[in-house]
């Protein structure tokens, strides 16, 4: 694998890992912040009776009113601003005239473009009170993301990220989805490298300052296997057990990494606001 200076690289997928400079980091901060603010705004709207399509409308209006562009609209034929993945939906749940109900757990994933830069982030939300096991799954998924992020520093390897995530999930007898991964991003939405959420310490590409990518583990309460629904988007657990996901966009720095999509108001885990029933 080769590293290339992003400022001289073409804005398309080449399979090379791009290294970005200060200007890119500043662009990613603005995009990441808007994506995070969108998820902050949605928190109070996630309650029983709300349609996932209404959540999508709120997100689209919020992003466009602030000068951002929803990256997912027209992306490979997708037509919405967010993905809303409820209960056994692993990812890419399509907003629809579908009401959320008490006890549901839902991932909302938004990607915005600001001045050409992508901010990609997702969080879990509880709809009213949720069962203990659902709460535990969401807690562990967030911990997996943050442990993965803590492993990011120059000289560490991609396999180190996957290993800490897999070890933490499997220690709780949960499983890691292998069919989807994190990704490089910047001016391109899904770029090299793939960020696997499982793996072996000491294996894979070495991390270098200037790399920008997402970490977005999907953790299942049951088995790791995934099926795709007939709409061509919605991925579900094959055994129909619950699945959870959290995502941040990050950049590798000399010291470690910078998270571009942190909630400016500290709503890092909206799922934990709910009572356990
Ligand atoms: N935001 C998702 C990701 O984390 C991608 C969604 S693509 C879409 O990479 F087209 F389904 F929106
Ligand atoms: Co992503
Ligand atoms: Co995303």
């Amino acid at each position: 694998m080769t590293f290339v200076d992003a400022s001289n690289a073409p804005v398309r997928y080449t399979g090379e890992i791009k290294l970005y400079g200060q200007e890119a980091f500043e662009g990613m901060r603005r995009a990441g912040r808007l994506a995070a603010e969108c998820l902050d705004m949605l928190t109070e709207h996630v309650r029983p009776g709300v349609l996932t399509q209404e959540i999508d409308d709120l997100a689209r209006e919020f992003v466009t009113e602030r000068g951002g562009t929803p990256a997912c609209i027209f992306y490979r034929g997708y037509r919405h601003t967010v993905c809303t993945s409820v209960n056994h939906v692993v990812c890419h749940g399509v907003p629809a005239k579908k009401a959320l109900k008490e006890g549901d757990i839902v991932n909302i994933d938004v990607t915005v473009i600001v001045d050409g830069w992508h901010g990609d982030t997702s969080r879990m939300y509880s709809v009213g009170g949720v069962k203990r096991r659902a709460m535990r799954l969401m807690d562990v998924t967030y911990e997996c993301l943050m442990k993965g992020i803590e492993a990011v520093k120059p000289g560490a390897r991609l396999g180190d990220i996957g290993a800490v995530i897999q070890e933490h999930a499997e220690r709780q007898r949960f499983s890691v989805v292998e069919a989807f991964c994190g990704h490089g991003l910047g001016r391109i939405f899904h770029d090299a490298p793939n960020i696997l959420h499982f793996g072996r310490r000491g294996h894979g590409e070495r991390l270098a300052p200037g790399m920008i990518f997402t970490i977005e583990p999907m953790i299942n309460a049951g088995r790791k296997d995934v099926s795709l629904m007939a709409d061509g988007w919605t991925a579900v657990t094959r055994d129909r057990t619950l699945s959870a996901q959290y995502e941040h966009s990050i950049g590798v720095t000399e010291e470690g990494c910078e998270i571009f999509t942190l909630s400016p108001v500290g709503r890092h885990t909206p799922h934990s606001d709910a009572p356990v029933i």
Side-chain angles (χ1 to χ4, degrees):
M1 178 65 69
T2 47
F3 294 92
V4 295
D5 177 356
S7 52
N8 295 322
V11 183
R12 59 179 166 80
Y13 185 91
T14 64
E16 293 163 315
I17 297 176
K18 299 182 178 77
L19 298 180
Y20 293 90
Q22 267 318 304
E23 211 182 309
F25 272 61
E26 278 156 28
M28 289 299 293
R29 272 174 212 136
R30 291 195 300 275
R33 185 181 176 96
L34 180 60
E37 286 170 342
C38 179
L39 294 186
D40 287 342
M41 176 278 294
L42 291 174
T43 310
E44 61 174 304
H45 296 282
V46 180
R47 39 186 164 66
V50 165
L51 310 180
T52 53
Q53 156 184 301
E54 293 174 330
I55 291 172
D56 190 67
D57 289 336
L58 288 164
R60 188 187 59 256
E61 285 156 20
F62 184 89
V63 170
T64 54
E65 278 167 8
R66 284 160 184 77
T69 304
C72 294
I73 299 181
F74 303 132
Y75 182 78
R76 294 173 182 252
Y78 196 77
R79 308 171 63 85
H80 308 272
T81 298
V82 295
C83 298
T84 48
S85 302
V86 181
N87 295 337
H88 62 284
V89 178
V90 172
C91 63
H92 304 164
V94 180
K97 220 172 274 156
K98 175 191 160 71
L100 296 176
K101 59 180 196 308
E102 173 96 18
D104 283 347
I105 65 169
V106 55
N107 174 276
I108 305 178
D109 188 342
V110 67
T111 309
V112 307
I113 307 172
V114 177
D115 297 333
W117 299 102
H118 287 76
D120 185 6
T121 183
S122 80
R123 300 179 197 155
M124 294 303 298
Y125 299 77
S126 303
V127 185
V130 298
K131 293 223 173 93
R132 185 174 309 282
R133 186 162 172 77
M135 186 59 85
R136 181 89 194 112
L137 176 67
M138 295 189 284
D139 286 345
V140 168
T141 302
Y142 181 69
E143 291 160 9
C144 282
L145 170 61
M146 297 317 287
K147 283 176 186 285
I149 289 174
E150 281 164 29
V152 175
K153 54 175 185 288
R157 289 164 175 263
L158 286 180
D160 300 344
I161 301 173
V164 295
I165 292 170
Q166 183 176 16
E167 283 163 16
H168 188 61
E170 292 180 354
R171 209 176 296 130
Q172 326 293 322
R173 298 179 173 280
F174 294 144
S175 65
V176 176
V177 170
E178 297 180 358
F180 298 95
C181 57
H183 48 93
L185 85 168
R187 292 191 175 279
I188 299 176
F189 189 174
H190 291 111
D191 206 351
N194 286 336
I195 308 296
L196 305 184
H197 303 112
F198 58 96
R200 286 167 62 189
R201 279 198 169 67
H203 287 249
E205 202 67 47
R206 262 184 215 288
L207 302 181
M211 286 174 68
I212 295 179
F213 53 85
T214 72
I215 304 181
E216 47 183 300
M218 284 142 275
I219 307 298
N220 295 350
R223 298 182 63 89
K224 68 184 177 191
D225 310 77
V226 165
S227 322
L228 193 64
M229 302 295 274
D231 62 12
W233 283 107
T234 311
V236 299
T237 54
R238 206 159 73 105
D239 61 11
R240 301 300 192 266
T241 56
L242 292 180
S243 186
Q245 180 177 27
Y246 266 92
E247 174 177 25
H248 273 311
S249 300
I250 68 174
V252 182
T253 61
E254 297 292 340
E255 299 79 36
C257 74
E258 173 175 349
I259 304 176
F260 299 125
T261 46
L262 272 184
S263 166
V265 293
R267 286 183 164 167
H268 305 303
T269 58
H271 78 262
S272 35
D273 296 350
V276 172
I277 50 175

